[in-house]
Amino acid sequence: MQHDAHAHHDHSAHGTHDGHKGHEGHEGRQEQHGGHHEGHGAHHAPGKASWSMAARATLHCLTGCAIGEVLGMIIGTALGWGNMETMILAIILAFFFGYALTLRGILAAGVDFKTAFKVALAADTLSIAVMEIIDNGVIALWPGAMDAHLSDPIFWIVLAIALAAAFVITTPVNKWLIGRGKGHAVVHQYHH
């Protein structure tokens, strides 16, 4: 978290201090230097979530959800399960892979598993839940989508539309969460 101290540090008091040479008059150079810190500061200060930050968090969740959904549908179809059982498996796997992607990043930062698991739950649960409701809702309501086989183009077309809809609707949810210091704002502190 050394970055935090640097991001909120008053450079003007140091003049030409070794680590900050060339920062005299720093206040007027926000475009050159502040842009880097602006993005990081937004993760820590509630109320400053950008759309691109929310989109990245949503894309992260969407990746895990998509892996779980497709794998669940492949397994359910291969085992000859009905629509309901297959959808339940796909949702369980979507949560599993969504959490797993977040856990991987936090564990790589040297955090113990118990803490990492709590952070993943706090960061992803609402995002994945909204995504799964939208995604599965589109598939369930689309005529013929529930009965389509993996080899049918309609299956993949509707899945793509459902995931796109989930992304569009979940992004504002993640923006709201990050803006309140929750969701992926919690994860970001472990990425330094």
Side-chain angles (χ1 to χ4, degrees):
M1 295 290 267
Q2 285 180 308
H3 181 72
D4 284 343
H6 179 72
H8 302 292
H9 189 72
D10 180 11
H11 296 291
S12 61
H14 294 288
T16 58
H17 161 313
D18 284 347
H20 297 91
K21 284 184 181 163
H23 283 287
E24 299 87 354
H26 177 65
E27 300 80 25
R29 294 187 183 174
Q30 191 167 10
E31 317 80 53
Q32 293 172 5
H33 184 72
H36 173 72
H37 295 297
E38 218 169 71
H40 291 300
H43 287 286
H44 304 290
K48 294 188 175 186
S50 70
W51 282 106
S52 65
M53 191 186 311
R56 283 192 304 273
T58 306
L59 188 59
H60 175 91
C61 284
L62 185 69
T63 302
C65 286
I67 292 168
E69 291 268 336
V70 172
L71 190 59
M73 290 178 193
I74 289 171
I75 293 169
T77 301
L79 295 175
W81 289 0
N83 290 339
M84 188 55 69
E85 295 88 356
T86 300
M87 186 178 278
I88 290 169
L89 177 63
I91 291 169
I92 290 168
L93 290 176
F95 273 92
F96 173 80
F97 283 101
Y99 290 140
L101 288 178
T102 298
L103 272 173
R104 185 186 63 157
I106 299 168
L107 290 171
V111 177
D112 65 282
F113 183 82
K114 185 177 178 182
T115 302
F117 187 71
K118 287 179 183 177
V119 170
L121 287 177
D124 290 337
T125 301
L126 183 59
S127 179
I128 295 172
V130 170
M131 198 166 284
E132 286 302 296
I133 289 167
I134 302 304
D135 177 27
N136 286 289
V138 169
I139 293 170
L141 296 174
W142 196 286
M146 290 295 287
D147 298 318
H149 295 274
L150 295 172
S151 59
D152 296 336
I154 190 72
F155 170 84
W156 297 102
I157 292 168
V158 174
L159 180 62
I161 291 168
L163 291 172
F167 177 82
V168 169
I169 294 168
T170 307
T171 298
V173 172
N174 279 323
K175 185 177 188 307
W176 179 80
L177 285 170
I178 293 167
R180 278 147 189 77
K182 301 183 185 313
H184 272 258
V186 177
V187 174
H188 184 73
Q189 65 182 310
Y190 298 100
H191 288 226
H192 290 292

